[in-house]
Amino acid sequence: MRPICFSAALQLCATAVFSQWQPDLRLTNDTATSYTSYGSAWSIATVGNLVHVVWFDSRDGDSEIYYKRSTDGGASWGADTRLSNAVGLSEFPSIAASSTDVHVFWGDTRHGEFEIYYKRSTDSGTSWGADTRLTNDVDYSSYPSAAVSSQFVHAAWEDFRDGDLEIYYKRSSDGGTSWGADTRLTNSAGDSENPSVAVSGTVVHVVWNDDRDGNNETYYKRSTDGGATWGVDTRLTNDPAHGNLSSLFVAGAEVHVVWYDERDGNREIYYKRSTDAGVSWGVDTRLTIDPAPSNNPSVSVSGLIVHLVWHDERDGNKEIYYKRSTDGGLTWDADTRLTNAAGTSGRPAVSISGQAVHVAWYDDRDGNSEVYYKQDPTGNAVGLDEQPGHAALFSVYPNPAHADLTLAFAEMMHHGAVELTSVPGETVYRGSILATSTTRIRLTDIPNGLYFLTVYDGQRSHSRKIVIER
């Protein structure tokens, strides 16, 4: 088949696709400070060509939550939107998005101590509902992390109501209209803090940092019934040094965790993964090797491609760095420096949409802290196999497809992933492939149109153009 290139598909018709990072784009421009959140709280979320960014901003005299969006994949941006308006501090927002629903959580002191507040948009950020107070206790609740799967919205945060910091959790089963009770996830003698939550289907995953063992270690917990009940705490790290700021992302049965760790004498980024939805875990993998601190990692995954950003002081000041794995975290590319400015570039967050990689961070190159953004429109691609001379990894039928799509692999697929992506870049289906020679995808909820079907086998990424018509 002769390859057909679509500009909206980000020029994927190349045998090998190389990084094409675009210039830094300044998103805020005011005389006060604008800060993104720490790595465990997401500052950026993407759905197709929609890119959503949140931050906290002191232009109004105290910290308030602000929001901005792009409707064309990050090429242009709308106006800043103030989401909170109360006396006191509103800080450290976390954002999650699914379809046209956008969910934002933050810590807020309008009642004296920090409490968790929530706000949502049901029209992709065009308009916003009222503030909703999610916690009501006499002590501190802050640093929320958010995740969404269909109509289930999940939030985890750190809370001091029990005399020390513990991890609490809350969920909504109706898209944020109503909320269940607070659920205490940890009960240990030390502090449990900085949670990160992720979800795939009905399996909810939480990691956090915990000093019950005398120093901060990374702990993990999961629910297999959508957050109704929870399993036991699992200690993921075991070394005598300090570690913190874990970030978590899930793609099907693949669970990916990154954090900074001081076991090497200074802060370095470490990585760990589970390939069975958190039942068992692989070894710790050191991802950075330099004499200066590496901190605040953020991870995002699409198929078998894992994307990592962090800030790093190897250049004399904090700069944003990036690296990726194209085989589900087994091996990693070299570090890529994303920023080169005189000031501090810190607290990055990464999100994937189709083939594009989007990064937001705060930056004080302008004399005060502002929010910046950068993208690589081809960073989630490793090439198509619709080129002359490429061996076919799989065949697919029928095409055009109606209710079902069958993939037949040239040889037994022991471990892989499959994604179906629209031409604008929205992932409409994602699944895992384990020990099979064929797999079937149900298409009944996917609209008619042209799509890219991509299979990742741990070494390669192969794609087909698929038409759905009924």
Side-chain angles (χ1 to χ4, degrees):
M1 178 183 293
R2 182 180 179 182
I4 302 172
C5 289
F6 296 87
S7 60
L10 303 173
Q11 299 178 352
L12 292 182
C13 294
T15 302
V17 182
F18 300 96
S19 291
Q20 299 179 17
W21 286 99
Q22 305 299 300
D24 301 354
L25 180 63
R26 181 176 174 177
L27 294 189
T28 61
N29 194 344
D30 63 87
T31 57
T33 55
S34 305
Y35 284 108
T36 50
S37 293
Y38 289 105
S40 57
W42 293 97
S43 299
I44 188 169
T46 53
V47 178
N49 274 342
L50 288 162
V51 187
H52 309 276
V53 174
V54 290
W55 68 95
F56 58 105
D57 199 298
S58 60
R59 70 183 73 176
D60 307 296
D62 55 10
S63 292
E64 300 289 351
I65 307 303
Y66 273 77
Y67 162 84
K68 197 180 194 92
R69 73 171 184 171
S70 168
T71 60
D72 55 10
S76 62
W77 292 79
D80 300 355
T81 299
R82 181 176 174 178
L83 295 188
S84 65
N85 191 348
V87 176
L89 302 176
S90 302
E91 296 182 337
F92 299 107
S94 184
I95 190 169
S98 176
S99 186
T100 60
D101 292 338
V102 187
H103 309 271
V104 177
F105 302 78
W106 69 93
D108 199 297
T109 66
R110 68 183 72 177
H111 301 289
E113 279 288 352
F114 272 104
E115 300 286 351
I116 305 300
Y117 267 75
Y118 163 78
K119 198 179 194 91
R120 73 170 180 172
S121 169
T122 58
D123 54 12
S124 299
T126 302
S127 61
W128 292 83
D131 298 359
T132 300
R133 181 178 177 178
L134 294 188
T135 60
N136 192 347
D137 62 88
V138 296
D139 230 310
Y140 161 97
S141 306
S142 195
Y143 293 102
S145 176
V148 60
S149 177
S150 186
Q151 289 298 295
F152 282 84
V153 190
H154 308 271
W157 66 95
E158 62 182 52
D159 200 296
F160 203 73
R161 71 183 73 176
D162 306 296
D164 56 7
L165 287 174
E166 301 289 350
I167 305 302
Y168 272 76
Y169 162 85
K170 198 179 192 93
R171 74 170 184 174
S172 169
S173 59
D174 54 13
T177 301
S178 61
W179 290 85
D182 299 357
T183 299
R184 181 177 175 177
L185 296 188
T186 61
N187 191 347
S188 63
D191 285 332
S192 304
E193 55 188 347
N194 295 321
S196 180
V197 62
V199 60
S200 179
T202 60
V203 185
V204 189
H205 310 262
V206 176
V207 294
W208 68 95
N209 300 111
D210 200 301
D211 66 4
R212 70 182 72 175
D213 308 297
N215 65 303
N216 260 2
E217 302 286 350
T218 299
Y219 272 75
Y220 164 82
K221 195 179 195 101
R222 74 170 187 165
S223 167
T224 60
D225 54 12
T229 61
W230 291 82
V232 299
D233 299 358
T234 299
R235 182 176 175 178
L236 295 188
T237 60
N238 191 348
D239 66 86
H242 180 85
N244 210 333
L245 293 182
S246 303
S247 177
L248 169 72
F249 199 94
V250 179
E254 304 275 348
V255 189
H256 306 266
V257 178
V258 292
W259 68 97
Y260 82 73
D261 199 297
E262 297 180 358
R263 68 183 74 174
D264 308 296
N266 67 305
R267 293 182 177 181
E268 301 289 351
I269 306 302
Y270 272 75
Y271 164 81
K272 197 179 193 93
R273 74 169 186 168
S274 169
T275 59
D276 54 12
V279 175
S280 61
W281 291 83
V283 298
D284 300 358
T285 300
R286 181 177 174 178
L287 295 187
T288 60
I289 301 176
D290 66 85
S294 304
N295 206 339
N296 205 98
S298 174
V299 64
S300 190
V301 183
S302 181
L304 292 183
I305 308 182
V306 188
H307 304 267
L308 170 71
V309 292
W310 71 97
H311 66 234
D312 200 296
E313 297 181 36
R314 68 183 73 174
D315 309 295
N317 63 310
K318 289 180 182 176
E319 300 288 351
I320 308 302
Y321 273 76
Y322 163 85
K323 77 191 301 166
R324 75 170 185 172
S325 168
T326 59
D327 55 12
L330 290 175
T331 62
W332 291 81
D333 295 342
D335 300 354
T336 298
R337 181 176 174 178
L338 295 190
T339 61
N340 192 348
T344 294
S345 304
R347 297 184 193 168
V350 60
S351 186
I352 315 303
S353 180
Q355 306 303 328
V357 183
H358 307 268
V359 179
W361 71 95
Y362 85 84
D363 202 298
D364 65 7
R365 69 183 72 176
D366 308 296
N368 65 305
S369 295
E370 302 287 352
V371 177
Y372 271 75
Y373 163 84
K374 194 183 194 90
Q375 70 157 292
D376 180 350
T378 63
N380 197 50
V382 291
L384 296 179
D385 68 348
E386 292 190 326
Q387 315 298 324
H390 278 239
L393 173 65
F394 67 95
S395 58
V396 58
Y397 57 89
N399 189 15
H402 308 291
D404 296 276
L405 195 64
T406 298
L407 284 68
F409 303 106
E411 54 190 46
M412 175 68 74
M413 175 72 77
H414 295 285
H415 179 251
V418 58
E419 284 188 337
L420 195 60
T421 307
S422 67
V423 170
E426 180 177 2
T427 299
V428 297
Y429 174 85
R430 179 183 291 121
S432 298
I433 306 169
L434 296 173
T436 185
S437 58
T438 62
T439 191
R440 179 173 294 180
I441 301 174
R442 293 285 294 171
L443 303 173
T444 52
D445 295 328
I446 301 175
N448 290 350
L450 174 67
Y451 295 87
F452 289 97
L453 179 72
T454 303
V455 171
Y456 307 85
D457 71 347
Q459 302 295 326
R460 300 158 292 172
S461 171
H462 290 237
S463 295
R464 295 280 190 274
K465 290 186 284 290
I466 302 298
V467 174
I468 299 175
E469 63 179 25
R470 300 178 181 88

